[in-house]
Amino acid sequence: MAVTLTAEHLRGALRIDDSAEQVAEATRLLAYGTAAVERHLGSAFASTPDAIANEAVIRLAGYLYDQPNAGRGVAYANALRNSGASAMLLPYRIHRAGSTGAG
């Protein structure tokens, strides 16, 4: 597993206090961030360095934690890209031009 981050480490990175509500929020953001990074990387998830995957989850979770509840059109629509996590993961993602099979 490429993400080794814990909810406690995420709370520290985002400077979130230890109240029950904030712990639950950090746990939720960690679960979502991990799933989003895993989906974004696909089969490259397992071989991505832990430090890179962890930082991408921190960036994504921080962006989601601080974004407003009401959207302004598409201003906050792509959290992975706007947080910088997508660019961080770009060298580890497998890119393909298309099918190499018989047409």
Side-chain angles (χ1 to χ4, degrees), residues 19 22 27 30 42-43 45-46 67 81 101:
S19 68
Q22 297 298 326
T27 303
L30 176 61
S43 61
F45 179 70
Q67 86 177 27
R81 185 175 192 174

Side-chain angles (χ1 to χ4, degrees), residues 17-50:
D17 68 18
D18 60 351
S19 68
E21 295 84 16
Q22 297 298 326
V23 169
E25 183 69 7
T27 303
R28 182 187 70 81
L29 289 171
L30 176 61
Y32 176 78
T34 301
V37 167
E38 182 175 7
R39 180 176 168 92
H40 181 73
L41 288 172
S43 61
F45 179 70
S47 62
T48 301
D50 294 352

Side-chain angles (χ1 to χ4, degrees), residues 37 40-45 47-49 52-53 56 84-96:
V37 167
H40 181 73
L41 288 172
S43 61
F45 179 70
S47 62
T48 301
I52 302 297
S86 181
M88 211 177 278
L89 298 170
L90 185 65
Y92 302 97
R93 188 169 181 198
I94 297 171
H95 302 276
R96 297 197 171 112

